[in-house]
Structure formats: C-alpha cells, structure tokens
Amino acid sequence: MGYEVDVIAPQSITARIVRGAKLRPKHSIEQTEKGNQYHVYRPYYFTAGNASNKAIKKLVKWNHRQAILSILTKLSPDVVYGHFWSSVTPVAGYCKKKNLPLFVACGEGDNALEEMVDAMSKEQIAELNSCMTGMISVSSENRRKCIKFGLISEDRIIVLPNCVNTDLFVPSQNPELRKKLGVNEDNFLISFVGGFIHRKGAKRLTDAIDKIQDGTIKAIFIGAPMPPDEEIPEGNSIVFKGRVEHDDIPQYLNASDLFVLPTLKEGCSNAIVEALVSGLPVVSSDGPFNDDILNERNSIRVNPMDIEQIATAIKKFKEDKEFYNSCKEYLLEYRKNYSIAGRAKNILNFIDQKFNKR
C-alpha cells in the first residue's frame, strides 16, 4: 500500500546450540504476493526456557532488548509497530526517548495480558502507557482489559477484529474431499481448528458428539497436541485428525457443514473468522471475546464447559434446515467485512491519523 516496511524478528541462538534448531538468515529481502519487497532482520539472542532464577530472567530480557535495538537504531523508522505487548515493551523506553510514535497490536488470547501486568509495578505500567501512541485491538474485550489495567487510554484505541485472505477462504463445496474422508452425502460434517488443549475444547466437542448418539455426525480435527495442557480428541466420529498446511485449511472447511470451537478464551480467533468467511455457521463460546465476530445470525453461542449446550447447538444446526440455511445466506454478505486487505488499510489510516495529530 505504498509503505516501506522493515521487520525485526529476533531468533534464539540457544535453540540452535541446545536443540540443533535451524537458524534463519540474519537479513533477507522478502516479497509480498504483489511483488513488493520488505526487509526482515533476525538478530540472535539467548533464551533460558522457563528459568526461575530472577537474575537469569533479567539477563535474557536485557539481551532480547539489545538484539532488537541493534537493528532499530540503524533503521531510523518513522513509526514502530509491535505485534502483541511483548513486542513493544522492550522498545517502549527507546521510542519515548527518540520521540518515535509507537503502536501495539493487542491480540493476546490467553493469560498473557494478566501475567504481564502482574509482573509490573504501577509505576512501570504508567511509564509504558506514556510511551504508547495507539493500539489496534482485535476485540472489544481486549480493549476493555487494557484500559482496566492502565496500559493505554480509550482515545488511543481502535478495535479491528482479525480478518483473513478472502481470496483463499471462499464459500464452496468439496465433495471430492468428503469422499476421500469416507463421508457420505447424508453425513453432517463438523470441523475444528486449533490446538488439542483444554482451553480450545477439542475433547469437549467429541464428548458432545458422543452425547448426541447420532452416527451420521462426523468430525475433522485440524491441529496438534500442545503439552503440558494437551487433551487429545478421540472417538468413532473422527474422520481426520492432525496438522495440515494453512493454505489447505479452506478445502477442509469447504467439505464441512459446521464449525465448532468450544474455546474458553481468545483474543479474536482467526480459526472462527476463517470458518465464517468460508460460509460455515459456528458454535462457540458465549465469552465476551467473541462479541465482535459472532451474533445470532451466524452462530449459536454456548457455555464452552457445558457439554449439553454444545450438543444441543450442534443438533439445532443439523435438524433445523431453515435456521441453518438462513445463517449460510447471511454469511455471504458478512464476509465482505473481513478482508485482510481492508483491515490493513484501516490500520494504516489509524496510524496516519494518530501520527499526524501527534
């Protein structure tokens, strides 16, 4: 969109030494789909896993910050944009000192915000607040939390839910994949995308399917276990379980009839938005993090810990054809608002507005 972008993505030298992980080039020139170039800088830094020693933690944090600043000081940018608060905290002081506008994309969906605030003093939170020019929040719930925690004021926040590549995620049918998976025309196929962990609810979904006791309901589970919180989905209804390339997810969604994600907590779930844009009605949590993307016309929202509610919602979509078809029809219009290119334009307009005002 006419902006010159440099990306700083520090990489762990410890992972290379200890686990033999492959290191990426320290500098590379990449291209967007439209052929525009951008630079990626990957300075080395040391990590220490989950070390409990405070001195080691402090040293790692300092080393991480120095790695970023070693590149940032050479680039002399007009604006700094950090994806998640963990990316802006190392550079906040530097940006304030250099009078650089600093923006954060707040998409935290676990307990990262709470843990960060708990580890900071009131003075540190106030100092971080004073460094921030603006925040792009993926949900109204994240905005509420950041204001409550004193990280930033409401007048510096814009809420823009996550969006997707609407050229990749397109409403369609995929009878070939259904046939390959052994799914009949009269089967009702549910898809789940996410880590096989307690928070995401893969096992709660299989428990709900088992409770319905309908052999025509089948399920696809795209994801993988994530220790130590892993919960592996099991059951006769499963026709596919495992990882797939992200660009292949659309064909699995297009083979499905419904998307279910009984998640306990999110920032703004990309998986849900991808399903909606693909024309799939959704069963998911009634938590406030879903308020900006789910409504009564595209979903049924449930208590994600209540197996009975999840099962009842699935049955409603399977048996009430009029309701199901009305949701599908609504989603054809809904998808227009969730283009990733449109979201990028809104982010840039927000940055320009705050930059010029400043």
Side-chain angles (χ1 to χ4, degrees):
M1 296 186 178
Y3 290 77
E4 186 178 329
V5 177
D6 296 309
V7 180
I8 305 175
Q11 57 182 330
S12 171
I13 191 71
T14 313
R16 169 64 178 172
I17 296 169
V18 177
R19 300 196 303 271
K22 186 178 179 180
L23 291 173
R24 302 287 301 279
K26 293 186 77 171
H27 173 235
S28 62
I29 300 175
E30 312 285 345
Q31 280 195 343
T32 67
E33 290 180 358
K34 294 183 179 179
N36 298 309
Q37 292 187 344
Y38 60 96
H39 291 258
V40 183
Y41 300 89
R42 306 179 184 88
Y44 299 153
Y45 77 108
F46 288 97
T47 54
N50 294 318
S52 57
N53 185 287
K54 290 184 178 180
I56 294 177
K57 279 186 174 181
K58 190 174 182 179
L59 180 62
V60 168
K61 189 178 290 188
W62 175 86
N63 182 239
H64 180 244
R65 180 175 181 271
Q66 292 304 116
I68 298 171
L69 292 182
S70 68
I71 306 297
L72 190 59
T73 53
K74 295 175 183 177
L75 295 176
S76 299
D78 298 303
V79 172
V80 177
Y81 172 100
H83 208 71
F84 300 133
W85 281 97
S86 58
S87 295
V88 301
T89 49
V91 299
Y94 174 84
C95 290
K96 186 176 183 180
K97 181 180 177 181
K98 296 294 182 179
N99 199 31
L100 271 174
L102 177 61
F103 293 83
V104 62
C106 179
E108 284 83 350
D110 46 22
N111 293 317
L113 278 174
E114 288 83 353
E115 290 171 1
M116 181 184 81
V117 170
D118 286 346
M120 298 172 71
S121 66
K122 289 183 179 179
E123 291 73 22
Q124 288 173 321
I125 292 172
E127 178 61 21
L128 179 59
N129 185 322
S130 71
C131 298
M132 303 308 304
T133 308
M135 180 180 101
I136 298 93
S137 176
V138 298
S139 69
S140 299
E141 174 65 359
N142 275 24
R143 174 182 61 184
R144 183 192 67 79
K145 284 184 181 180
C146 289
I147 295 170
K148 174 187 173 184
F149 295 150
L151 294 169
I152 194 167
S153 58
E154 186 172 8
D155 61 302
R156 288 176 285 164
I157 303 174
I158 186 173
V159 176
L160 295 173
N162 285 335
C163 294
V164 303
N165 183 344
T166 49
D167 293 329
L168 180 63
F169 291 89
V170 180
S172 182
Q173 294 182 336
N174 195 337
E176 294 81 11
L177 181 57
R178 286 176 72 100
K179 187 176 180 180
K180 183 179 178 182
L181 295 172
V183 177
N184 300 323
E185 283 188 17
D186 61 345
N187 285 146
F188 191 75
L189 185 58
I190 296 169
S191 60
F192 169 102
V193 179
F196 300 160
I197 57 176
H198 176 72
R199 177 168 67 89
K200 294 288 186 178
K203 187 176 182 302
R204 293 192 292 279
L205 172 53
T206 54
D207 289 346
I209 293 173
D210 290 343
K211 190 174 186 65
I212 297 171
Q213 294 184 331
D214 182 343
T216 66
I217 298 177
K218 304 296 180 184
I220 292 170
F221 286 87
I222 297 174
M226 299 169 63
D229 189 30
E230 63 184 58
E231 282 189 359
I232 313 297
E234 302 288 353
N236 295 329
S237 63
I238 300 175
V239 295
F240 177 86
K241 179 171 65 177
R243 295 179 183 271
V244 303
E245 292 295 322
H246 183 260
D247 285 357
D248 291 332
I249 290 177
Q251 61 178 301
Y252 285 87
L253 295 177
N254 289 338
S256 305
D257 299 297
L258 181 68
F259 184 84
V260 182
L261 187 72
T263 179
L264 303 180
K265 200 170 187 181
E266 299 287 335
C268 174
S269 170
N270 279 309
I272 290 177
V273 178
E274 288 168 354
L276 294 169
V277 170
S278 299
L280 280 184
V282 167
V283 174
S284 189
S285 170
D286 57 7
F289 51 82
N290 274 334
D291 286 353
D292 298 292
I293 56 175
L294 296 182
N295 58 54
E296 69 281 356
R297 298 187 66 188
N298 61 17
S299 64
I300 296 177
R301 297 174 66 179
V302 298
N303 176 347
M305 289 298 293
D306 190 322
I307 305 302
E308 181 70 42
Q309 284 192 28
I310 299 168
T312 300
I314 292 171
K315 286 180 66 179
K316 171 73 172 176
F317 274 119
K318 183 177 185 293
E319 296 172 1
D320 189 339
K321 299 302 181 185
E322 184 178 351
F323 173 64
Y324 179 82
N325 290 332
S326 70
C327 287
K328 296 278 285 185
E329 187 176 338
Y330 169 75
L331 287 169
L332 291 176
E333 290 296 317
Y334 177 95
R335 69 188 309 272
K336 296 176 183 178
N337 301 320
Y338 286 86
S339 158
I340 197 167
R343 185 175 193 268
K345 188 176 292 185
N346 287 334
I347 290 173
L348 291 168
N349 288 340
F350 175 71
I351 290 175
D352 280 345
Q353 176 193 0
K354 294 299 179 185
F355 182 83
N356 291 331
K357 184 178 178 181
R358 191 171 179 275

